[in-house]
Amino acid sequence: MEWTEGYGASWEVCTVDSRTWSDSGQVPGVMSVTVSRDCTDSVPLLETGNMEVDGSFGESWCRIYLTADQGGVERIPMATLLFEQESSTVDHGARRVTASGRSVLQPAADVKMPRGSYAPSGSDGAQFAASLLRSCTPAPVRVDGSFTLVDDVVFDLGCSYLEAAWLVLNAGNFCMQIDGDGTINVLPVPSEPSLRLDDANAGLLIPGVSDDMSLIDVPNRYYAVDGEHIAVATNEREDSAVSRPSRGRWVDVVDSSPVLVDGESLEAYAERRLAEESTVERKFSYTREYWPGVVPYSLVRATLPDDGIEGDLRVKAQSLECGRGVTVSEDAYMEVRA
């Protein structure tokens, strides 16, 4: 497929057998379908969806397919979600159902960790998070990479399996991404682009880009507290807009639950976390044509200054309009070291 060129599109929704994770039949009477993706929550579910169906509908795992025709035909899984009826209307005996779709991560959000649970020091954080997910969701879980937890990570009472998985992954700068077939990928936060918005792909971008950036909440002093040991990292750079000299005041963060990784000291942890907290996100909002493999946490490398968009952008939210093609409304963030 040449995604910068036109193509014909048709849509199909299939039920999924939770035991084999393969298609088990077609959902009849589908009138419309939407998919939304988001990683801005503290415990991201990453995907949701909605579907309108003529007729009755019960809870079911469903896979949404795009069939793209561009001289040759390609059938592409776009999302796999757990749908259940949310509301219905009846008009002259005909019933139309609105069904809401929940992420393959939802089962892990519904189950709570046993009292006293923890991730042990010395364990592989990526594999630990994957094991939590596999115990809850029928979706396949794939791991790419590893990192070692220096200290035990103890989970609060009431912590869900999904919250525990994200807590561990965040400590190692890892994330989760979901493929169209519902496969959950545990991997380092990507550093290479999944899409280049350059002259060759300029036709993907629909004109009208907005951007926004604020420095108001950026700290310039970070306290890491581990028992009696306290480490302090400060930003006193003359060339920083948020430093103590520039602002004339301190903006503090106190971290009483540090999670050290890969042998770092508490002091190194405080320095790393201050640098991370001092990375300002410049938000770009735009609409573009579909490009496969771009999901929350993906990197988009943009070099279209005349369109107001240039630099490496981290995708955090998407809304997919499924019609004659796929139009993506996207929020992506440029990391600016403050």
Side-chain angles (χ1 to χ4, degrees), residues 1 3 5-12 65-76 78 289-290 321-327:
M1 284 290 298
W3 293 103
E5 305 294 333
Y7 58 94
S10 60
W11 296 89
E12 179 185 6
Y65 284 98
L66 163 67
T67 298
D69 188 347
Q70 198 181 65
V73 175
E74 189 171 344
R75 188 168 180 258
I76 304 157
M78 299 295 291
E289 302 294 341
Y290 175 73
E321 181 181 338
C322 305
R324 294 180 179 178
V326 185
T327 303

Side-chain angles (χ1 to χ4, degrees), residues 147-165:
F147 65 95
T148 302
L149 293 172
V150 174
D151 296 320
D152 294 343
V153 180
V154 180
F155 307 118
D156 293 336
L157 183 64
C159 178
S160 71
Y161 275 56
L162 182 61
E163 185 179 359

Side-chain angles (χ1 to χ4, degrees), residues 80-194:
T80 303
L81 300 165
L82 179 61
F83 280 95
E84 62 179 342
Q85 180 174 322
E86 188 174 65
S87 63
S88 67
T89 59
V90 178
D91 187 1
H92 294 90
R95 180 180 297 275
R96 176 167 292 185
V97 169
T98 298
S100 61
R102 295 181 292 172
S103 166
V104 291
L105 297 176
Q106 184 65 51
D110 293 337
V111 182
K112 306 303 181 184
M113 298 288 289
R115 181 191 294 271
S117 297
Y118 67 99
S121 62
S123 63
D124 182 335
Q127 289 293 345
F128 182 89
S131 69
L132 293 179
L133 300 175
R134 291 186 182 116
S135 69
C136 302
T137 180
V141 180
R142 184 166 51 207
V143 178
D144 179 10
S146 65
F147 65 95
T148 302
L149 293 172
V150 174
D151 296 320
D152 294 343
V153 180
V154 180
F155 307 118
D156 293 336
L157 183 64
C159 178
S160 71
Y161 275 56
L162 182 61
E163 185 179 359
W166 276 117
L167 182 62
V168 170
L169 294 178
N170 288 338
N173 199 31
F174 269 52
C175 68
M176 293 181 246
Q177 294 182 320
I178 304 174
D179 293 339
D181 67 358
T183 299
I184 303 166
N185 298 283
V186 174
L187 72 165
V189 172
S191 58
E192 292 299 320
S194 299

Side-chain angles (χ1 to χ4, degrees), residues 65-336:
Y65 284 98
L66 163 67
T67 298
D69 188 347
Q70 198 181 65
V73 175
E74 189 171 344
R75 188 168 180 258
I76 304 157
M78 299 295 291
T80 303
L81 300 165
L82 179 61
F83 280 95
E84 62 179 342
Q85 180 174 322
E86 188 174 65
S87 63
S88 67
T89 59
V90 178
D91 187 1
H92 294 90
R95 180 180 297 275
R96 176 167 292 185
V97 169
T98 298
S100 61
R102 295 181 292 172
S103 166
V104 291
L105 297 176
Q106 184 65 51
D110 293 337
V111 182
K112 306 303 181 184
M113 298 288 289
R115 181 191 294 271
S117 297
Y118 67 99
S121 62
S123 63
D124 182 335
Q127 289 293 345
F128 182 89
S131 69
L132 293 179
L133 300 175
R134 291 186 182 116
S135 69
C136 302
T137 180
V141 180
R142 184 166 51 207
V143 178
D144 179 10
S146 65
F147 65 95
T148 302
L149 293 172
V150 174
D151 296 320
D152 294 343
V153 180
V154 180
F155 307 118
D156 293 336
L157 183 64
C159 178
S160 71
Y161 275 56
L162 182 61
E163 185 179 359
W166 276 117
L167 182 62
V168 170
L169 294 178
N170 288 338
N173 199 31
F174 269 52
C175 68
M176 293 181 246
Q177 294 182 320
I178 304 174
D179 293 339
D181 67 358
T183 299
I184 303 166
N185 298 283
V186 174
L187 72 165
V189 172
S191 58
E192 292 299 320
S194 299
L195 169 63
R196 295 178 185 270
L197 287 177
D198 52 17
D199 289 341
N201 291 331
L204 293 173
L205 186 66
I206 297 171
V209 178
S210 65
D211 68 270
D212 179 62
M213 183 175 71
S214 174
L215 302 176
I216 192 168
D217 294 324
V218 179
N220 52 26
R221 185 164 55 185
Y222 196 98
Y223 291 92
V225 183
D226 186 8
E228 298 298 320
H229 189 187
I230 300 175
V232 183
T234 62
N235 178 3
E236 300 187 67
R237 295 171 59 105
E238 296 290 343
D239 60 350
S240 169
V242 298
S243 67
R244 171 66 173 80
S246 296
R247 278 178 163 162
R249 61 189 178 90
W250 290 113
V251 178
D252 290 339
V253 171
V254 178
D255 182 351
S256 59
S257 302
V259 179
L260 281 60
V261 297
D262 295 332
E264 68 184 344
S265 65
L266 189 63
E267 288 74 15
Y269 170 84
E271 293 285 350
R272 172 171 67 85
R273 291 294 294 122
L274 178 61
E276 291 171 353
E277 292 289 332
S278 299
T279 299
V280 182
E281 293 186 322
R282 183 180 179 186
K283 177 183 176 182
F284 289 82
S285 299
Y286 52 87
T287 303
R288 60 171 176 82
E289 302 294 341
Y290 175 73
W291 188 270
V294 183
V295 295
Y297 292 105
S298 292
L299 203 63
V300 173
R301 183 158 292 161
T303 52
L304 296 174
D306 290 345
D307 291 290
I309 182 169
E310 187 173 20
D312 283 353
L313 312 176
R314 183 77 61 193
V315 175
K316 292 203 172 182
Q318 298 174 321
S319 177
L320 278 62
E321 181 181 338
C322 305
R324 294 180 179 178
V326 185
T327 303
V328 181
S329 297
E330 193 160 74
D331 292 339
Y333 294 73
M334 179 188 297
E335 295 183 347
V336 179

